[in-house]
């Protein structure tokens, strides 16, 4: 089969579409013929080796964690899926989805695709939706709370904004001028133009007594220190990246996507019913996958997800 391949750790410019051995499902595994695969920031970090200490990969490496497609074969012990089933999959770092076929374990990261959800939008769902669900669980938002979402127009951020607004939370979101109407349509009550203003200073002017929750999907390490200063006493700072155990008297909650609690079946049903908006910034045919990865790495699409179609 053909796949997008990295020969070693290095820049995304090395990526090429090559022939690789056809995968075969082992016990508990499902082989999916990929129809569409979405890109995530973690794909770039796995290729470059930025995450090699936490998530080492074997080369040649096929990136991609999200996909939708049709079950081609199932391994021993698989009971929930059969050949021909249309599915949504989160494959994890070990089995790349930017390929004609991908292996996925039979578990909470593999669900049947609702017919009302297109393959392209379904592919953009798994990691972002499950991460957003985990973020919201860690945030513990209550009606009437005030939350700032930094990185609001990305795949995870847009889903956090929508669901926080549904809970009756007042949402302050970062958005460039071109994205202001979009993010407000998702439920944000206030926006900060992070391209022209310092986000922390602007948020402090709008909410001088602090915010109940700050969800920071952009900053990591010491860059979280200014963000923490926006949290009111007793409030919460939630991050999907990494940083110190305590920042400015605030104990951050660092969230990793966990498929066991990410509730992908419910997220897929909500998206199919139109209750969860999935933004796709751009689609690329499979033969243009190297360019798609370069565009992701260079930040050319800051709103929604990039999807590869097969």
């Amino acid at each position: 089969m053909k796949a997008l391949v990295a020969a070693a750790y290095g820049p995304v410019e090395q990526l090429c579409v090559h022939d690789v051995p056809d995968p075969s499902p082992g016990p508990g595994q499902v082989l999916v013929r990929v129809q569409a695969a979405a890109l995530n920031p973690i794909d770039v970090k796995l290729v470059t080796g930025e995450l090699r200490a936490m998530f080492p990969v074997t080369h040649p490496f096929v990136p991609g964690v999200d996909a939708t497609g049709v079950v081609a074969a199932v391994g021993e012990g698989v009971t929930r899926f059969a050949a021909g089933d249309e599915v949504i999959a989160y494959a994890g770092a070990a089995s790349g989805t930017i390929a004609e076929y991908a292996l996925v374990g039979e578990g909470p990261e593999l669900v049947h695709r609702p017919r009302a959800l297109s393959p392209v939008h379904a592919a953009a769902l798994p990691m972002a939706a499950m991460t957003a669900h985990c973020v919201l669980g860690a945030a513990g938002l209550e009606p009437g709370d005030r939350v700032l979402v930094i990185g609001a127009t990305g795949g995870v951020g847009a889903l956090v904004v929508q669901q926080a607004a549904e809970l009756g939370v007042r949402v302050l979101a970062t958005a460039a001028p071109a994205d202001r109407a979009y993010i407000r349509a998702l439920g944000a009550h206030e926006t900060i133009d992070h391209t022209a203003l310092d986000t922390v200073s602007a948020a402090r002017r709008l909410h001088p007594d602090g915010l109940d929750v700050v969800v920071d999907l952009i900053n990591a390490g010491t860059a979280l220190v200014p963000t923490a200063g926006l949290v009111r006493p007793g409030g919460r700072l939630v991050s999907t990246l990494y940083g110190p155990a305590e920042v400015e008297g605030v104990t951050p909650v660092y969230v990793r996507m966990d498929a066991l609690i990410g509730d992908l079946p419910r997220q897929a049903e909500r998206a199919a019913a139109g209750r969860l908006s999935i933004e796709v910034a751009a689609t690329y045919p499979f033969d243009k996958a190297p360019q798609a990865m370069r565009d992701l790495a260079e930040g050319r699409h800051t709103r929604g997800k990039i999807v590869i179609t097969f």
Side-chain angles (χ1 to χ4, degrees):
M1 71 169 184
K2 293 189 179 298
L4 185 67
V5 177
Y9 288 126
V12 296
E13 285 74 17
Q14 67 166 306
L15 291 164
C16 296
V17 175
H18 284 306
D19 287 311
V20 299
D22 292 343
S24 179
Q29 289 185 318
V30 174
L31 181 66
V32 177
R33 177 173 57 80
V34 178
Q35 295 173 315
L39 302 185
N40 291 279
I42 193 174
D43 297 323
V44 173
K45 295 176 182 180
L46 291 171
V47 169
T48 62
E50 181 180 340
L51 296 179
R52 74 180 76 184
M54 290 185 290
F55 302 110
V57 301
T58 301
H59 295 96
F61 171 63
V62 178
V65 297
D66 287 344
T68 188
V70 178
V71 173
V74 300
E76 181 183 352
V78 171
T79 59
R80 292 174 45 232
F81 300 94
D85 287 354
E86 296 179 328
V87 295
I88 304 172
Y90 171 78
S95 176
T97 59
I98 309 177
E100 293 177 316
Y101 291 88
L103 288 173
V104 187
E106 183 185 33
E109 62 270 32
L110 183 66
V111 301
H112 291 93
R113 177 173 66 86
R115 289 295 180 89
L117 190 59
S118 74
V120 166
H121 286 86
L125 187 70
M127 189 171 192
M130 290 193 290
T131 301
H133 190 68
C134 293
V135 165
L136 289 163
L141 294 167
E142 300 286 346
D145 280 351
R146 297 162 300 163
V147 61
L148 166 63
V149 182
I150 299 175
T153 57
V156 175
L159 297 176
V160 170
V161 168
Q162 291 178 61
Q163 294 174 86
E166 284 182 4
L167 293 171
V169 171
R170 184 167 186 84
V171 180
L172 170 62
T174 58
D179 296 325
R180 184 174 179 272
Y182 161 71
I183 207 68
R184 281 188 171 268
L186 294 183
H189 301 85
E190 302 170 291
T191 59
I192 293 173
D193 177 7
H194 62 284
T195 66
L197 302 172
D198 176 72
T199 297
V200 171
S201 299
R204 189 170 286 120
R205 285 194 297 271
L206 290 168
H207 297 277
D209 55 342
L211 293 139
D212 299 291
V213 179
V214 175
V215 174
D216 194 333
L217 306 171
I218 299 296
N219 297 299
T222 57
L224 284 170
V225 173
T227 302
L230 296 171
V231 180
R232 66 162 180 78
R236 294 170 297 285
L237 171 61
V238 180
S239 168
T240 53
L241 299 174
Y242 51 87
E246 187 167 324
V247 187
E248 296 289 309
V250 176
T251 302
V253 181
Y254 296 108
V255 177
R256 278 190 187 177
M257 193 285 289
D258 185 340
L260 289 173
I261 63 174
D263 201 6
L264 183 56
R266 179 171 172 270
Q267 307 303 327
E269 291 295 343
R270 294 187 74 230
R275 296 180 56 213
L276 203 60
S277 176
I278 308 298
E279 181 79 359
V280 174
T283 59
Y284 294 71
F286 180 44
D287 62 345
K288 300 297 183 184
Q291 182 63 53
M293 284 290 287
R294 290 195 292 272
D295 289 350
L296 173 67
E298 294 169 6
R300 294 188 181 180
H301 302 289
T302 57
R303 176 170 136 185
K305 302 295 289 291
I306 296 173
V307 176
I308 309 296
T309 57
F310 292 75

